[in-house]
Amino acid sequence: MRPTFMGFETATRGLMVNQKALDIVGNNLTNVSTMGYTRQRVDLVSLNVNMRYTRYNQNSTPYAGQGSAVYGVSQVRDAFLDKRFREEYSDVGYYDTVSSVLTDLHAAIDEIAPATMTTAMYDFEAAWNELLQKANETTNSANILAKATQIVSVFQQMSQKIDNVWNQQEYNLKNDVNQVNSILQRIALLNDEISREKFNCMEVNNKNYQPLELLDKRNVLLDELSKFGDVTFREEEDGMVTVFMGGHKAVDGKEYETMSYAVDRYDPNYPSVNVIWDSTGKDITFSSGTIKGYLDMMNGRGIHSVSSTNVNFSQGIHYYKEKIDMFANTFADAFNRAIAIDNTNPVEYKTLFTFKDDTISAANIRVNEEWVKDATYITTEVRDKIEKGGDDNSYAAKAYQIFKTGLDFGEFKGTINEYIEFYSTTKLSNDTAYNQSRLDAVGSISSDILNQIQEISGVSMEEEGVDMLMYKKAYDAVSRVFTTLDEMLDKLINGTGVVGR
């Protein structure tokens, strides 16, 4: 015969485990809108009666049926989906950054509406055409000077706008570096807290206790960290995680790394940035993420750029700035060879445009001071005019022809208007559209994965409702066991031996 009160112990355990299961269901439902919360479940086990280690070998059957116990409370997560999401989220961070920078560049040098440079060039061309028709009128010379000044101003404005885009990305990169340092610190602090909580609360050799709410906080930080660069991590026995960023150990237990960014202004026209690990001083190499996006866009000068410190071959901010600078240089050189003073060898020309401090760039292009002082500078001391008469306009024809002739801009050969349209409209638009399409693609994939994670780890009102009914019915059924056991015990105590009295 089994022990008299074992049935009550079994029923008591049944009430306890079902009550705990209802508690966890209630906890899930109250956290349905909590950010980062992972659905929890009670892990139940049937009590195993093992007579192997008793002093005397005996049949274990009389001791079977002792009920169940709560083995632990666990989270419903899929490690594979978590890994995939963080990989895709890192790509989302990269393409989101690149698309944002290219959109800002598009706003800075866009020639669709309003067509600032195109309009200025059209006005400059029209002014030369008027001079070609009436070479003797000084008003036409003054008009050309005014249009030349306008073009110089547009060059300078474009260069300044591109510099503003670069400066804004420098500010954004600084914020990202600070955020990464903060996240790494918080993960290290959570590592310490999780480890201590696990050590203080777990029984010897019991690996089933987990401080789940702290794990949720750490998982949210790991997800957030993956936006900045490629992240992997390894779970340790003590509950901590070792985090790697770009293959570098960024968090090791309670210790964490920090990163810094530095600006190299050796070339003031094309400054560069790099991000380093403070412990090693080595550059950080990410394959994706926002930090790589900023580095590619801020240091990118295209595949034809001269290799130097921090420069990469992406078509970033400096790539398009270089195109504007090349434009200014080719434009100035063409018009500085338009008006010949002396056709003897070597030919001398009127200098219409100069560069401040001899630094060739769109920011430094200027109208020659002699021309600024005297609008007729382009018509005086021209030998052809002196020899052929006051109405000679061959110099104006040569200048006007520049707009019709293909020029060598380095990577591109064509007319001035074709160059403007190609780089400020077609090329930049294609780059922006491509990166936006990549952002849409990786964004869609990450959203799909996130939905799959939500289906597994998120709280479902329907599933929790079904579980609540199941545990409630089990609780009610176990309660009936007490009534049955009470009747049996009453019969055993009060009813046994009554017959025959």
Side-chain angles (χ1 to χ4, degrees):
M1 180 180 293
R2 64 168 176 78
T4 304
F5 292 98
M6 192 182 79
F8 287 101
E9 291 295 330
T10 301
T12 300
R13 294 189 189 99
L15 291 178
M16 292 174 62
V17 297
N18 283 286
Q19 178 62 66
K20 181 53 63 179
L22 286 170
D23 291 341
I24 297 304
V25 168
N27 188 58
N28 287 336
L29 291 172
T30 55
N31 284 282
V32 66
S33 300
T34 302
M35 178 182 176
Y37 179 79
T38 303
R39 182 161 63 95
Q40 300 176 5
R41 70 181 178 193
V42 175
D43 298 324
L44 304 179
V45 292
S46 175
L47 289 185
N48 178 27
V49 179
N50 191 341
M51 307 301 295
R52 178 180 178 184
Y53 298 105
T54 59
R55 186 173 181 179
Y56 301 102
N57 188 23
Q58 53 187 303
N59 191 338
S60 62
T61 302
Y63 297 94
Q66 294 191 29
S68 61
V70 176
Y71 189 65
V73 180
S74 60
Q75 292 179 321
V76 185
R77 295 191 71 92
D78 187 321
F80 175 71
L81 285 178
D82 288 343
K83 181 177 182 294
R84 282 196 61 202
F85 171 74
R86 286 163 185 155
E87 290 173 350
E88 293 298 331
Y89 196 43
S90 183
D91 288 339
V92 170
Y94 176 80
Y95 286 109
D96 185 43
T97 299
V98 172
S99 295
S100 176
V101 173
L102 291 176
T103 300
D104 290 346
L105 273 176
H106 214 289
I109 61 177
D110 184 24
E111 280 297 306
I112 296 178
T116 311
M117 180 61 80
T118 302
T119 301
M121 285 294 175
Y122 175 82
D123 293 342
F124 193 46
E125 180 183 2
W128 280 106
N129 187 39
E130 290 180 8
L131 184 64
L132 181 62
Q133 303 303 322
K134 300 179 181 179
N136 290 331
E137 292 190 10
T138 58
T139 55
N140 290 336
S141 298
N143 188 34
I144 290 178
L145 174 59
K147 302 308 179 184
T149 303
Q150 180 183 2
I151 286 177
V152 166
S153 178
V154 173
F155 270 123
Q156 294 171 357
Q157 289 173 9
M158 278 191 168
S159 181
Q160 183 60 53
K161 288 180 179 179
I162 294 176
D163 286 343
N164 290 342
V165 173
W166 195 92
N167 292 334
Q168 179 62 50
Q169 307 321 311
E170 180 188 3
Y171 176 82
N172 294 340
L173 175 59
K174 181 179 179 180
N175 284 343
D176 273 16
V177 168
N178 290 337
Q179 286 188 54
V180 169
N181 289 338
S182 175
I183 292 173
L184 293 176
Q185 180 186 28
R186 284 185 283 167
I187 290 176
L189 291 174
L190 281 170
N191 268 350
D192 184 34
E193 192 173 354
I194 290 170
S195 178
R196 286 188 288 106
E197 181 76 11
K198 201 172 179 185
F199 177 80
N200 292 335
C201 297
M202 69 185 290
E203 299 175 3
V204 177
N205 296 325
N206 177 16
K207 300 181 180 180
N208 303 301
Y209 172 76
Q210 294 284 345
L212 302 181
E213 284 69 24
L214 295 179
L215 295 182
D216 282 339
K217 290 182 180 180
R218 192 171 65 186
N219 284 326
V220 170
L221 291 176
L222 289 170
D223 289 344
E224 186 179 353
L225 186 64
S226 66
K227 179 181 69 173
F228 300 99
D230 40 302
V231 174
T232 58
F233 70 93
R234 181 179 67 237
E235 294 184 0
E236 309 295 348
E237 289 292 329
D238 56 3
M240 297 188 182
V241 292
T242 302
V243 180
F244 299 88
M245 289 193 73
H248 182 86
K249 188 182 292 184
V251 177
D252 187 7
K254 298 182 289 184
E255 305 299 325
Y256 66 96
E257 291 272 17
T258 57
M259 59 176 65
S260 301
Y261 87 101
V263 181
D264 183 357
R265 300 188 187 276
Y266 177 78
D267 183 350
N269 204 38
Y270 297 97
S272 62
V273 293
N274 65 315
V275 179
I276 62 172
W277 291 111
D278 291 333
S279 62
T280 62
K282 295 182 179 179
D283 288 355
I284 296 175
T285 54
F286 289 146
S287 61
S288 58
T290 63
I291 291 178
K292 175 177 170 57
Y294 285 123
L295 293 177
D296 283 357
M297 289 295 97
M298 296 175 72
N299 297 335
R301 296 183 67 171
I303 59 175
H304 297 291
S305 62
V306 178
S307 178
S308 61
T309 304
N310 299 327
V311 170
N312 62 62
F313 300 131
S314 301
Q315 294 177 0
I317 298 172
H318 288 336
Y319 172 81
Y320 284 98
K321 184 175 183 181
E322 201 166 37
K323 300 312 162 191
I324 299 298
D325 290 344
M326 174 64 73
F327 183 19
N329 182 38
T330 305
F331 170 83
D333 185 67
F335 280 94
N336 287 343
R337 295 176 180 273
I339 303 177
I341 301 175
D342 191 339
N343 285 324
T344 59
N345 192 18
V347 181
E348 296 181 27
Y349 295 96
K350 288 279 188 178
T351 301
L352 304 187
F353 299 95
T354 60
F355 292 92
K356 181 182 178 181
D357 301 327
D358 294 328
T359 302
I360 298 175
S361 67
N364 291 324
I365 190 171
R366 302 287 189 273
V367 176
N368 189 1
E369 291 185 0
E370 295 184 47
W371 190 13
V372 173
K373 294 175 182 177
D374 181 9
T376 62
Y377 166 78
I378 60 175
T379 61
T380 56
E381 299 180 359
V382 179
R383 177 159 297 184
D384 284 346
K385 179 182 177 182
I386 296 173
E387 291 177 351
K388 297 181 181 180
D391 60 350
D392 177 65
N393 62 0
S394 58
Y395 65 94
K398 187 174 181 181
Y400 179 71
Q401 191 61 32
I402 292 174
F403 294 97
K404 312 298 181 184
T405 305
L407 301 176
D408 186 355
F409 293 94
E411 288 183 20
F412 181 88
K413 293 178 176 60
T415 66
I416 289 175
N417 287 332
E418 288 172 346
Y419 184 86
I420 295 172
E421 181 179 357
F422 180 75
Y423 280 105
S424 66
T425 303
T426 306
K427 185 70 175 65
L428 183 53
S429 295
N430 288 342
D431 285 352
T432 305
Y434 169 77
N435 284 280
Q436 183 61 50
S437 66
R438 292 294 301 135
L439 175 60
D440 293 341
V442 296
S444 176
I445 295 173
S446 65
S447 295
D448 289 343
I449 296 174
L450 192 60
N451 288 335
Q452 293 178 50
I453 292 175
Q454 186 64 25
E455 290 176 1
I456 296 173
S457 302
V459 177
S460 169
M461 302 290 285
E462 292 77 11
E463 289 184 22
E464 298 302 325
V466 171
D467 288 346
M468 183 164 47
L469 290 175
M470 178 181 67
Y471 294 129
K472 175 63 168 56
K473 288 180 178 179
Y475 189 91
D476 292 341
V478 173
S479 299
R480 296 285 297 173
V481 173
F482 274 99
T483 303
T484 303
L485 290 173
D486 183 62
E487 293 175 356
M488 290 171 62
L489 192 58
D490 178 66
K491 187 66 174 179
L492 177 65
I493 297 174
N494 299 319
T496 302
V498 172
V499 178
R501 285 185 182 179

